[in-house]
Amino acid sequence: MKNLLNTQNLVAILAILLSVLGVIIISVSNLPIETIKKALDPLSPDGNLEIIKAQSLLLLRFAGLIFLVSSFLLFITRKWWGNLFSSSLDCLMEFAQDVRTFLANLIYQNPVFSWSLLLIFIVGLIIRLTFISQPIREDEARTVITFASENRSLLDIISWYGWPNNHLFHTLLVHYLIIFLGDEEWIVRLPALIAGLLLIPMTYLTGYILYNKYTGLLAASLVAGSSFLIEFSTNARGYTLVCLNFLAILILAKLFLKRNSIAIGILLIILGAIGLYTIPTFLYPLGITITWIVLSIIFKNTNFIEKKSLARSLFIYLILMAIITFILYLPIILRGDLNALIGNPWIEKKSWSYFLSNLPGHLQETWVAWNIDIPTYFSLFLGICFFVSIAFHRNIATDKIPLPIPTILFLSLMLSYQRVIPFVRVWSFLLPLYFVLSSAGVSYLLSRIKIKETQNSLMFSSLSVFLALGLSLNVFRSQSVYYSEQTGTMLDSEKITLFLKDQLSSNRGVLSIAPVSNPLRYYFKQHNISLDYINEDLPNKEQLFVVVKKSSNIPLTTHFKKNYLSLEEYHEPKLIREFIDGAVYLVKKTQSVTAK
């Protein structure tokens, strides 16, 4: 009773705080724009906070009204919320205890598997550390220099989206790492690395819960040695966070279908909102999971009342997830930057002819990317085992609905509506699931061999460890991660930076375009060279260093056009230095232009 009264009091206090916040927001929104801007400008690194606009103030008043209405509703229903919070805390404590018991049993009842998983994890760690300090890539450098810079305020970061490769939750993690540890390559890649490493045991848990321990261990070994997943574990982007989140909500979805617990619902809400805040394309894995839950509820062998209860709970969780996601994106909406989020050219709807003609090539490109450094015969074997797991789903799983069904159903509907061809890396979240399903097929085929349980465990453990080792050695030998063109790369950026360092002056500038410009900015900053040399005030420079990526085969005229310059105003470009994949040209303005 005392606990219930405490939670009711907390809800009442929260309602009062929301009402006070609503009054403050509405009051502030009625002040002159100049007054608000003058007060908030010091929060911006450059002293000019551009978030304040007339449209923003209207949205701010609306937000304040929402807070007031929410506080009123919260206060009059405080008893109901108190009961809910009290039971939620109890459920979370019970769920935490269940998880501890489950993990303890997993470790102590399967010591061979536990040691094997540890070895696989160590292999995955070592191969990832091998590439953690590779040269910075275009999208990573943009994140460090533009989005997550230590010079930006928290308000500026959460209110400006800017470009689709701004993975907001990941950006926040990188921002604080830069503040506390610095901006070296390995530091800014820590969030992606940690998520990529946690993906190994999370894949094991997914395979174990959806199928069996043999499936989990085989799938974990494939994730540990996957070139594609190693690459994005050493790339300062949010894709491994999405992969990890997807497997977590799949596990929670499975548990939700078995037991409608508030604790599971709370975790689903939180992880769903974080996923959507990391990358909007998290809508794909979230939609697949929801479709799977809905189909499972429909075909579940239970009475109508239980189905209705599950459906109602799912609906409430999704509404709360949507509200939290809206609140997280509210600063961007208030700033008027929503178009960068939902109206950027990468998600512009294409024609049916374009979509259908490019889809087969896109699927082939995805398949090739997923199987880099995996021997052809083995990748084909995994593909066959993937279909084996679907064909014999009822023999190896307790769920009625194989996950490929909701995956194909949801993605077909979404892509048919959007008619876009996403980047291959957008589908990275599906790769661990593909490995789980393929491993389930392998496990089923090997289970036909009648041997003792101890021998079976030893066979799967040995196979999984050697598989992780073999795949990782392939990745190390080929250096495919180092030479990958994903997210833009310019391997010679630091060497070019050091070459230019002593040659720059007030009448010389640097002209470059993606994927060269941002890596150059990153290494200019690392070597204490002013970023103003790169693509800044170029028309007033007498000489330009034009830095190009040789393998991109982009004409020099394009470099000039993208920086609003004309090559005709300059003398013939002179190649002054070549690197492995880069080249530096020097161009001088003609005398007639200089005279003007």
Side-chain angles (χ1 to χ4, degrees):
M1 184 66 183
K2 186 178 179 181
N3 183 48
L4 179 58
L5 288 173
N6 287 338
T7 53
Q8 285 185 33
N9 291 337
L10 286 173
V11 173
I13 293 169
L14 179 60
I16 293 169
L17 289 175
L18 280 176
S19 64
V20 171
L21 185 60
V23 170
I24 292 172
I25 288 174
I26 292 174
S27 301
V28 169
S29 66
N30 283 289
L31 293 173
I33 294 179
E34 294 76 16
T35 304
I36 302 172
K37 193 172 187 305
K38 186 177 180 181
L40 295 180
D41 271 348
L43 296 175
S44 177
D46 60 0
N48 182 25
L49 195 66
E50 298 178 353
I51 187 175
I52 308 301
K53 299 176 183 177
Q55 181 187 6
S56 301
L57 294 184
L58 288 173
L59 289 168
L60 203 60
R61 286 172 201 147
F62 179 68
L65 183 62
I66 290 176
F67 279 118
L68 285 176
V69 172
S70 299
S71 66
F72 174 73
L73 294 174
L74 196 60
F75 187 79
I76 64 175
T77 59
R78 62 187 181 279
K79 185 175 181 180
W80 183 85
W81 284 105
N83 287 322
L84 178 64
F85 288 160
S86 181
S87 60
S88 296
L89 287 173
D90 292 339
C91 284
L92 282 172
M93 294 298 290
E94 183 184 346
F95 182 73
Q97 183 59 45
D98 289 345
V99 170
R100 281 197 296 269
T101 304
F102 170 76
L103 292 176
N105 290 336
L106 204 62
I107 293 170
Y108 295 117
Q109 290 182 7
N110 301 291
V112 174
F113 270 55
S114 300
W115 283 107
S116 299
L117 183 60
L118 178 61
L119 288 173
I120 290 168
F121 183 86
I122 291 171
V123 170
L125 171 64
I126 292 171
I127 189 62
R128 282 158 176 78
L129 290 179
T130 304
F131 297 103
I132 195 66
S133 295
Q134 62 183 304
I136 203 83
R137 297 174 184 272
E138 168 71 18
D139 286 2
E140 294 180 289
R142 186 191 289 269
T143 294
V144 175
I145 298 296
T146 307
F147 302 129
S149 170
E150 69 274 22
N151 296 321
R152 296 185 67 199
S153 67
L154 175 62
L155 179 61
D156 198 27
I157 289 173
I158 65 173
S159 64
W160 182 61
Y161 188 67
W163 200 246
N165 66 350
N166 182 9
H167 300 170
L168 287 163
F169 180 65
H170 175 265
T171 295
L172 283 171
L173 297 177
V174 173
H175 172 70
Y176 285 106
L177 280 173
I178 290 173
I179 289 175
F180 292 114
L181 298 177
D183 59 358
E184 286 80 8
E185 293 97 335
W186 71 271
I187 292 174
V188 300
R189 288 167 176 156
L190 280 177
L193 175 67
I194 293 170
L197 287 170
L198 290 177
L199 194 59
I200 298 170
M202 187 64 79
T203 301
Y204 173 74
L205 283 175
T206 305
Y208 180 88
I209 291 172
L210 294 181
Y211 294 99
N212 52 58
K213 61 183 179 181
Y214 306 116
T215 296
L217 198 63
L218 275 174
S221 68
L222 290 169
V223 166
S226 165
S227 175
F228 192 77
L229 294 174
I230 292 168
E231 178 179 343
F232 284 101
S233 298
T234 56
N235 190 330
R237 316 295 298 118
Y239 295 107
T240 50
L241 290 171
V242 167
C243 292
L244 184 66
N245 205 333
F246 176 46
L247 293 188
I249 64 171
L250 273 181
I251 292 172
L252 289 171
K254 170 76 173 180
L255 297 177
F256 168 73
L257 291 167
K258 290 178 68 176
R259 183 180 63 178
N260 188 1
S261 163
I262 294 175
I264 294 170
I266 291 171
L267 292 173
L268 274 171
I269 292 166
I270 293 171
L271 291 178
I274 289 175
L276 290 169
Y277 191 59
T278 303
I279 312 178
T281 54
F282 188 75
L283 183 62
Y284 291 141
L286 181 62
I288 290 168
T289 307
I290 294 167
T291 305
W292 185 49
I293 293 173
V294 171
L295 291 175
S296 297
I297 291 173
I298 292 171
F299 293 100
K300 189 177 176 67
N301 287 330
T302 187
N303 57 59
F304 177 75
I305 295 175
E306 186 180 345
K307 289 184 178 183
K308 184 179 177 182
S309 175
L310 285 169
R312 183 173 62 247
S313 297
L314 178 63
F315 179 74
I316 292 170
Y317 298 155
L318 292 178
I319 291 296
L320 291 173
M321 189 190 299
I323 291 171
I324 293 173
T325 304
F326 173 76
I327 292 171
L328 290 172
Y329 279 108
L330 187 59
I332 290 172
I333 297 170
L334 291 174
R335 186 168 184 161
D337 201 28
L338 187 61
N339 190 58
L341 184 67
I342 62 174
N344 62 75
W346 305 113
I347 59 174
E348 184 180 334
K349 188 177 287 188
K350 303 294 191 297
S351 66
W352 275 109
S353 59
Y354 174 89
F355 176 70
L356 293 175
S357 62
N358 284 275
L359 185 60
H362 174 69
L363 294 175
Q364 182 183 8
E365 186 183 357
T366 303
W367 172 258
V368 170
W370 282 11
N371 288 281
I372 292 173
D373 293 327
I374 298 177
T376 304
Y377 66 87
F378 189 62
S379 64
L380 291 174
F381 173 69
L382 289 177
I384 292 169
C385 289
F386 170 79
F387 289 105
V388 168
S389 72
I390 298 173
F392 295 94
H393 179 78
R394 291 192 176 185
N395 300 73
I396 58 178
T398 56
D399 306 298
K400 281 195 170 184
I401 310 297
L403 271 163
I405 291 177
T407 301
I408 294 170
L409 180 62
F410 181 79
L411 292 182
S412 297
L413 290 173
M414 281 296 295
L415 292 178
S416 295
Y417 171 74
Q418 292 179 303
R419 296 204 298 273
V420 296
I421 302 294
F423 292 110
V424 167
R425 54 186 176 268
V426 169
W427 307 124
S428 57
F429 71 90
L430 286 173
L431 185 53
L433 178 60
Y434 168 74
F435 285 150
V436 167
L437 290 162
S438 296
S439 298
V442 175
S443 172
Y444 175 74
L445 292 177
L446 291 180
S447 70
R448 313 313 292 169
I449 304 172
K450 301 299 180 182
I451 57 176
K452 293 180 180 179
E453 174 64 23
T454 53
Q455 293 175 326
N456 208 27
S457 295
L458 187 61
M459 178 181 70
F460 271 95
S461 298
S462 304
L463 176 63
S464 299
V465 171
F466 281 114
L467 184 58
L469 275 170
L471 292 175
S472 298
L473 284 172
N474 279 352
V475 174
F476 180 75
R477 281 199 295 261
S478 73
Q479 292 291 296
S480 58
V481 172
Y482 183 84
Y483 292 108
S484 171
E485 296 288 336
Q486 288 277 352
T487 71
T489 182
M490 178 61 173
L491 300 176
D492 302 310
S493 295
E494 187 167 21
K495 294 177 182 177
I496 292 172
T497 297
L498 295 173
F499 170 71
L500 293 174
K501 185 174 183 178
D502 297 326
Q503 303 194 52
L504 293 168
S505 61
S506 58
N507 68 336
R508 286 179 162 184
V510 178
L511 185 154
S512 64
I513 62 173
V516 178
S517 49
N518 282 308
L520 278 182
R521 287 189 179 96
Y522 174 82
Y523 287 114
F524 268 45
K525 185 173 180 291
Q526 291 288 303
H527 293 281
N528 300 312
I529 307 172
S530 173
L531 302 187
D532 292 338
Y533 285 116
I534 303 175
N535 297 340
E536 295 288 338
D537 196 31
L538 295 182
N540 295 320
K541 304 292 184 182
E542 293 179 12
Q543 298 180 1
L544 298 178
F545 292 104
V546 185
V547 183
V548 303
K549 178 179 171 67
K550 291 191 293 186
S551 60
S552 65
N553 296 317
I554 299 175
L556 282 177
T557 51
T558 303
H559 288 71
F560 278 79
K561 284 180 181 178
K562 287 196 173 185
N563 283 279
Y564 306 102
L565 297 172
S566 173
L567 188 56
E568 295 175 357
E569 297 181 354
Y570 296 83
H571 288 293
E572 186 74 20
K574 180 183 178 183
L575 177 63
I576 59 172
R577 184 68 181 270
E578 268 195 286
F579 297 85
I580 295 174
D581 191 30
V584 181
Y585 292 85
L586 179 65
V587 293
K588 300 179 181 179
K589 276 191 174 180
T590 59
Q591 289 184 354
S592 59
V593 174
T594 305
K596 288 181 183 179

